[in-house]
Amino acid sequence: MEHFDLVMEEIGFGKVHVFATLTLGLLQMLTIHETMGMGIIGPASVCDLHMNQAQLASLTAAGFMGIICSSYFWGYITDKKGRRWTLLRTITLSNLCSVMSMFMVSFTGFFVTRFITCIFVAGPSFVAATYLSEFCSHRILIRTITHMYMFTGFAMVYCPGWASLFLSASFMEFEVDVVGSLTLRPWRVLGCLNIIPGVVAFFLLLHLPESPKFLLMIGDTQRGLATMEWISRKNTGRPLSDEQKEHLRTYQDHVEVKRRKGKHNFLLSMLNDAMPLFRKPFVGYFVCACLVMFVLGLLANGLGIWYTAMRNRCNMRQGNTEGMTFCRILFVPDMGPIVESESDLEAVCNDSFLGFNDSFILGAVYIVLYNLSWLSLFCVHKKVIFVFSLVAASTGGFLLIFVTNYTFQLFSLVFLIAFPGVTVGLLGGSLLGFVPTYIRGKALCISLMWCRCGAAIGAILVGSNIQDSCELILLAIAILPLIAACMEGYLPL
């Protein structure tokens, strides 16, 4: 390992790293659009697709379930076929399926196509970070991955930005009959616009080579050295020295020993290839990382996907809300357009939005926190950042139960969602530096699969039960970050 890092340190951070971070950051945006974006698309589609509250909750979780079901498969494929090879194919298929899903006319069709879309979104959701990590030395790995994940904040601004135009602007309200019961409405166009970062990333990715670490791992010495030569010329203007080439050949000799060429059937091979993660020295750290990822996913994505809908409901509340807690504002009946009626369908069939300013605030806080995290990595240990972020999230959760001030309620909810979201990137980057190349893709995909499990369970639980047990659910959510913080000593930070 040290031989590859030595060469990368000598080449240094440069144009290749900036271009790769931009390209793969756009793929992170695509992942957020296709999962968290349903927090805007879903409520906007309830009237057209005649959905009730339970169906809406399951729809928001459909994307996460698609990622969960296919994550390990793509982790296996990316460690066999390559990072770039997997990304190009999954991006293409996810974009096609995403556009198709926007023209469904029933809940069943929409649910199934969103599930299929995110089967392919699972590829860029974790392969992007794996791919970027293999252009970095260990010293800059976590900081570079943190910058890639910062595009989550840009995605949180991009989605409400377009939604402000298509869903809250009265002049953009339209309904065009297309064929049969299919009508073209703003939310369908908005859903199609969510793939733009993925389309741009696809064309940028064509200008990047396969991961040099992967090429050396599979024994493709010529292409591996050629890729490192390209990186060196782009970053420094100089070719690799003979000494650097010798270091890379030594590294290849080391990792090729660990390369498994199984003769088992496909499913057994997939299982056997993951077994090193569940043996010493990885098992303790890896299992703990997966459990923490579950908690982070439940908070950042499971609760976060309802952020726009909850803030929209608060802002649409009529009457005097002074002295009312967050839960009372959301669910205590009041005269106004959002009084719960007896009909399940009528209660959900309200697809209007009163602006997206609060969503812009969440996106801005994400960007600020990612940059603060990146700067902190230069002078503060990762464990300190990890514990502080989770304690801050928990504090926001407890405050959200009791505070009555509008601004405190807003930022308590924002911090409860954003701090765990930033911590996902920090833990993912640490995990990539902890495991070797030949199981790196599978390690990240399994850990993020647990993150998506938390997201799916959180989305369903919050969507289905928060109206009846708001304070109790917020209390449970506020305790979870403290439990995750207690596992800090068992994490590869």
Side-chain angles (χ1 to χ4, degrees), residues 17-18 21 40 71 74 89 92 142 159 175 191 225 246 258 265 280 287 311 325 384 401 423 453 474 490:
H17 296 91
V18 173
T21 302
I40 295 176
S71 283
W74 294 120
R89 285 151 182 80
T92 303
I142 297 176
C159 286
E175 186 168 349
L225 291 177
E246 187 58 36
K258 297 182 180 291
N265 63 55
K280 292 183 178 180
V287 170
R311 294 308 307 170
T325 63
V384 176
I401 300 173
T423 309
C453 283
L474 288 180
Y490 299 95

Side-chain angles (χ1 to χ4, degrees), residues 26 29-30 32-33 40 151-165 189-198 200 359-360 363 367:
L26 288 172
M29 287 183 68
L30 175 67
I32 297 300
H33 292 169
I40 295 176
F151 280 77
T152 299
F154 296 139
M156 294 291 191
V157 173
Y158 178 100
C159 286
W162 281 113
S164 297
L165 176 64
V189 179
L190 177 62
C192 293
L193 291 174
N194 282 344
I195 72 167
I196 290 177
V200 175
S359 298
F360 288 125
I367 294 170

Side-chain angles (χ1 to χ4, degrees), residues 213-321:
K213 271 192 171 182
F214 175 79
L215 292 172
L216 292 171
M217 183 188 74
I218 63 174
D220 195 339
T221 309
Q222 184 176 356
R223 288 178 63 200
L225 291 177
T227 299
M228 291 297 291
E229 183 89 15
W230 178 80
I231 295 172
S232 180
R233 288 184 182 276
K234 289 290 184 181
N235 280 12
T236 67
R238 301 187 304 272
L240 292 174
S241 66
D242 291 338
E243 183 181 2
Q244 287 173 328
K245 291 179 181 179
E246 187 58 36
H247 278 304
L248 292 173
R249 290 191 181 95
T250 304
Y251 168 78
Q252 182 181 6
D253 292 340
H254 173 73
V255 295
E256 270 198 300
V257 173
K258 297 182 180 291
R259 176 76 172 163
R260 297 174 61 108
K261 298 183 181 294
K263 298 180 180 179
H264 308 288
N265 63 55
F266 180 71
L267 293 177
L268 191 57
S269 178
M270 287 179 65
L271 180 64
N272 289 337
D273 280 7
M275 282 301 102
L277 292 169
F278 299 96
R279 301 190 186 108
K280 292 183 178 180
F282 306 118
V283 58
Y285 292 131
F286 183 68
V287 170
C288 188
C290 290
L291 294 175
V292 173
M293 281 290 196
F294 178 88
V295 172
L296 299 179
L298 190 150
L299 295 167
N301 302 132
L303 175 63
I305 201 168
W306 294 105
Y307 172 83
T308 300
M310 287 192 291
R311 294 308 307 170
N312 182 63
R313 189 175 180 121
C314 286
N315 293 332
M316 292 180 69
R317 172 77 184 225
Q318 294 186 346
N320 183 18
T321 59

Side-chain angles (χ1 to χ4, degrees), residues 370-383:
Y370 272 115
N371 278 286
L372 288 176
S373 177
W374 174 76
L375 289 172
S376 299
L377 286 169
F378 286 98
C379 55
V380 180
H381 196 279
K382 296 188 292 293
K383 289 188 177 183

